[in-house]
Amino acid sequence: MSEPSPKYLCPHCQKASRLPEPIPKEGKFQLTCAHCKEKVIINFSDYRFEILKVVPKEPVVSDTAQSFQSFKIPTESIGKSNSIKEKTDTKSKPFWERKVVFEREPEVRTFKPKPLKQRLSGVNSGRGKSQKFSYLKLTFTVTSICLFLFILGFSYFVAGVLATKKEVPLYLESLSKNIPTKILDRNGQMVSEIFQKRTSTLRLQDYPEDMISILLNIEDQKFFFHGGIDYSAILRAFFKNIVNLSYKQGASTITQQLARIILDDRRKSLNRKWREAQLAFALESVLTKEQILETYMNHVYLGHGAFGFGEGVKFYFQKNPMELNKEEMVLLASLPSAPNKYSPLKNPEDSYTRVRAILQMFRNRGIYPNLDRDKFVSFYHNLSTRSPNETVFGSRQDIAPYVTEHVRGILSSLEGDKNIYESGGYTVETTLDRGAQELIGPMVRDYLNRNRKSGKIQKKRVRVKPESPMDLAFRQKMEEVSILNEMVWNPDSLESEKDTSSVQAAIVGIQPNTGQVLFLHGGEEFNSQNQFNRATQMRRQTGSSIKAVLYASAIDAGVIQSGTRILDAPLYYRGGGGKEWAPENLGGSFDGEISLRTALVKSKNTAAVQVAERLGSAGIERYFTKYFFPNDAEKKNRYRGDLSLALGTLEISPLEMASAFTGFVNQGTVKRPYLIQRIKNAKGVVLYEVGGTDEFKLKLPPERQVIRPDTAEVMVSLLRDSGRASGVRNGGYAGDLVGKTGTTNDYKDAWFVGVRPDLSLAIWIGYDNPKFGMGPSGLGGAVAAPLWGEIVSSIDKKNIIPKIQFSQPVYAKPYKICSLTGKQAGVNCPVANELYLSDYPPEGICTEDHKATHSENKDLMKGLY
């Protein structure tokens, strides 16, 4: 047996021929020489071979015969001799190495070497092998191309994920757009919201655990285990949709749904799916699972304008999330996949079908077995009473709409060209007291309706002459406000006898010692055609309510004292150019000589004009400058220094009047009113904080001393009687107060400004159009004061604002005076107790014998008036 070699020497032609490749380990092969075509039989054993037999040359036969000739197996002699040898070898080995050999005809395999040309070219001459090679080559080529494309696509996808990862903070910031701006009261309670799109802002811990569990079981059971995409869910959905030949099941994870919300792209395209997947992976790499879930729950759309489960809970059930039962949670969690289709308001049947499918799924999983189907039926029954077109915009929480408009204006001024709706998410901390504020709107509407129906408030045209400067100013102001609020103002309505505008009311309450606005209401009822805030934007003649300021100024200047006597008699003034003026008292009656206290209680016009004369034009200007016009430009535009000022002809806003009266209970100091304490944007950055800002554009300093502390105490004493006699008792108020009524000509304006140490409240009632009055019953004491009484008595009953009692005088000095002369009381004088300034005591001691002269004076006065 020779050594292994790739060639053998042909015994016929003595030329070398190649062995089969690879060389067999063992077996018998018939080889054909590549040169002479003769055959030999070779036996291989352990990769070694030996020639067993030289096959004789075969006779030449015809082609036809050769085509039917088959190859023969080697002769039996060869097989037998080989078998004997194998048996001998086997017996010579130990039994554990022996192989069992079956007595059978040996298998001889035929090997025919390829021609040299074919071997060198590597081309198989056989057709089947050639086809097989072609298929393998094609398969390899296609596989290689696919693998290349996959690697290329994967690299591009990963690069996109890395790029998107950097943009995640910007995407999350974009979600803060259109988040409602919250207006909070002084205690952090919600007062109002500003929004175009209502989005939830709750934290994950604000949602009950069962609600989160139910949502995950419906939308994404493996949320906490996948990396953004659930591949098994994709395969399951793919095969289910193929079987049904339609779209039956989706496979988007909550992360993918959040990505879709962020991208805000609802097109069914591969590009959108690609970007969605990239963003899903990016979100998973940047945010925690809890952050992803919280963001999703706050922004997923639940129908009817409600974005997020917090808003959905309020819209569908008027609850907060922690108050929900499990059935309500299931109903809400059924909505994200198709909020319009499964809306229980629009499509209750589809909604119930969806809920039943969820309950069946829960039963199959063995979770929440005790859900009550009857409760679902009850839900649908209750929801059937609501309109299918109802939205969150109709249920916007806003108990202070005029405040909301004020805040909206402030936000717009802070943010410039930025859209405050898109920016969204502002938190506005105000000085309001929610408890008081929510009383005002309904109370005002009810009060005005009652007085209209009873005839106390009428609508009387009082002017037919051409418009005065006051009318023109009113029209100009209303047109400006109309443009701001996108209202259409019809100037012809001012001329119409059938003006349909309703009587309005302006209410503003201020905390005296701080200037904080506690509540504010600017009209009858806020709507698209009634957004003018009369409490802050309107200026009207004040009537007799200004007399409190006038008398305080005169007392502070020392020209009158609380015991001063004034002659209530007709007055007549003739000025330059033939102008005449004769001030009249309401009702046309005159009482002769009266005390200053009586003049205030009865609101005598003649007495007020005489007080103004004593103070003088320079004194009036000096005090009214401190009270209302510290700014020179504002003073130039609004101040008129004639005696009619004493009767309230200057136009002042309700806010300014409420602020002015705070000086009486605050030792003569007036704090500039403000409503907004702080504004923060969605990131928590403070954009606005109370301080040097003149919020209401009053052009006033933060604080000013308008009168002396002892003057303030004297005025409290005088105005207590005026407040008690004002008509507040008709509104149910029985407490202590300081106040003054006001009524303008033709009953166009009814005022009452009342103040306590804890509250200064101004009320104005009238028509916007100054050509209309309220009729002879439209007095400040008959119309405005009772509303003041109703509001404050309601606030006191509910203990909304901590009540503060009036303090005893500290700076002013008490004196016993003669009630008939105003001098310090003598032996025979009727005595009255009055407060005086420390440096302006009563004028001497009365020496008259009033017992003898009282009846004579009384008869004389009757003859004169």
Side-chain angles (χ1 to χ4, degrees), residues 708-780:
R708 296 164 33 161
D710 48 358
T711 303
E713 291 177 344
V714 171
M715 288 305 301
V716 166
S717 173
L718 292 173
L719 291 173
R720 267 177 159 165
D721 287 347
S722 173
R724 281 193 290 265
S726 62
V728 295
R729 301 288 187 267
N730 296 331
Y733 182 76
D736 206 359
L737 79 154
V738 168
K740 185 70 189 74
T741 59
T743 308
T744 61
N745 291 342
D746 302 317
Y747 310 100
K748 294 189 294 291
D749 307 274
W751 287 83
F752 182 73
V753 187
V755 60
R756 304 186 316 193
D758 52 281
L759 175 65
S760 178
L761 171 57
I763 290 182
W764 168 90
I765 296 177
Y767 290 96
D768 286 335
N769 191 335
K771 292 184 177 180
F772 292 94
M774 292 176 285
S777 298
L779 303 167

Side-chain angles (χ1 to χ4, degrees), residues 187-198:
N187 301 311
Q189 293 183 305
M190 179 81 74
V191 170
S192 178
E193 293 174 299
I194 301 175
F195 62 87
Q196 284 181 326
K197 172 183 172 183
R198 193 162 183 167

Side-chain angles (χ1 to χ4, degrees), residues 776-791:
S777 298
L779 303 167
V783 174
L787 179 56
W788 193 101
E790 286 191 17
I791 292 173

Side-chain angles (χ1 to χ4, degrees), residues 409-427:
I410 297 294
L411 284 173
S412 297
S413 67
L414 289 176
E415 295 292 52
D417 296 333
K418 187 181 292 186
N419 187 321
I420 63 171
Y421 296 102
E422 288 187 1
S423 302
Y426 300 98
T427 300

Side-chain angles (χ1 to χ4, degrees), residues 55-72:
V55 180
K57 293 182 179 179
E58 296 180 5
V60 178
V61 295
S62 64
D63 293 339
T64 305
Q66 188 175 0
S67 64
F68 293 100
Q69 184 178 354
S70 59
F71 291 100
K72 301 213 183 228

Side-chain angles (χ1 to χ4, degrees), residues 20 58 94 165 172 255 262 291 302 317 366 488 566 571 672 802:
E58 296 180 5
K165 184 177 177 180
L172 296 177
T255 312
I262 292 173
Q291 289 173 324
L302 299 180
F317 301 110
V488 179
I566 296 179
L571 300 175
R672 183 174 61 201

Side-chain angles (χ1 to χ4, degrees), residues 13-292:
C13 64
Q14 298 300 314
K15 292 182 179 180
S17 293
R18 294 180 64 85
L19 292 171
E21 294 180 1
I23 297 174
K25 182 178 181 181
E26 58 185 27
K28 299 178 181 64
F29 293 85
Q30 177 179 292
L31 303 183
T32 301
C33 178
H35 304 284
C36 65
K37 308 301 181 183
E38 296 300 331
K39 300 176 178 62
V40 295
I41 294 176
I42 298 178
N43 179 49
F44 286 91
S45 177
D46 196 17
Y47 301 106
R48 300 173 186 275
F49 71 91
E50 62 179 346
I51 299 175
L52 295 181
K53 182 181 178 181
V54 177
V55 180
K57 293 182 179 179
E58 296 180 5
V60 178
V61 295
S62 64
D63 293 339
T64 305
Q66 188 175 0
S67 64
F68 293 100
Q69 184 178 354
S70 59
F71 291 100
K72 301 213 183 228
I73 300 175
T75 60
E76 291 183 10
S77 61
I78 298 175
K80 287 181 180 179
S81 63
N82 187 45
S83 298
I84 294 169
K85 184 175 181 181
E86 286 180 0
K87 290 177 183 179
T88 306
D89 293 341
T90 301
K91 288 181 180 180
S92 64
K93 295 179 180 179
F95 70 92
W96 60 81
E97 293 183 7
R98 294 176 190 172
K99 295 181 181 179
V100 178
V101 180
F102 295 95
E103 293 291 339
R104 64 175 182 176
E105 199 173 322
E107 179 184 358
V108 179
R109 284 168 284 181
T110 303
F111 176 77
K112 185 176 181 180
K114 298 178 183 178
L116 180 61
K117 185 177 180 180
Q118 288 187 9
R119 291 201 306 270
L120 293 175
S121 64
V123 178
N124 191 344
S125 60
R127 183 178 176 185
K129 292 183 179 180
S130 176
Q131 289 180 346
K132 184 177 180 181
F133 176 78
S134 297
Y135 289 142
L136 289 173
K137 185 176 181 181
L138 179 62
T139 302
F140 176 77
T141 303
V142 172
T143 304
S144 299
I145 293 173
C146 291
L147 182 61
F148 173 76
L149 292 176
F150 173 77
I151 294 173
L152 185 65
F154 181 75
S155 301
Y156 179 71
F157 181 82
V158 171
V161 171
L162 294 176
T164 305
K165 184 177 177 180
K166 297 178 182 179
E167 298 174 357
V168 167
L170 295 176
Y171 281 127
L172 296 177
E173 184 178 351
S174 70
L175 285 181
S176 65
K177 292 181 178 180
N178 293 305
I179 291 178
T181 289
K182 296 181 179 180
I183 302 176
L184 309 178
D185 80 339
R186 59 179 49 234
N187 301 311
Q189 293 183 305
M190 179 81 74
V191 170
S192 178
E193 293 174 299
I194 301 175
F195 62 87
Q196 284 181 326
K197 172 183 172 183
R198 193 162 183 167
T199 307
S200 175
T201 57
L202 298 180
R203 305 303 301 270
L204 192 61
Q205 56 265 31
D206 296 328
Y207 296 104
E209 291 184 6
D210 281 326
M211 185 172 187
I212 296 172
S213 174
I214 288 171
L215 175 65
L216 293 180
N217 271 283
I218 294 174
E219 292 293 328
D220 191 355
Q221 192 179 10
K222 297 180 180 179
F223 173 73
F224 284 100
F225 303 100
H226 61 65
I229 295 177
D230 187 350
Y231 301 102
S232 61
I234 292 175
L235 291 174
R236 184 170 58 251
F238 175 77
F239 286 114
K240 186 168 184 178
N241 295 335
I242 290 294
V243 169
N244 290 276
L245 298 178
S246 64
Y247 184 82
K248 290 289 185 181
Q249 181 175 330
S252 294
T253 63
I254 280 180
T255 312
Q256 287 177 282
Q257 292 182 51
L258 177 58
R260 189 178 308 138
I261 291 169
I262 292 173
L263 294 174
D264 194 22
D265 186 355
R266 299 292 173 179
R267 293 174 297 175
K268 293 183 178 180
S269 64
L270 290 176
N271 181 55
R272 192 265 291 175
K273 282 288 187 183
W274 180 273
R275 293 174 60 218
E276 181 183 300
Q278 285 180 326
L279 182 54
F281 280 115
L283 289 171
E284 290 278 352
S285 64
V286 173
L287 304 178
T288 65
K289 287 288 187 180
E290 289 75 12
Q291 289 173 324
I292 292 173

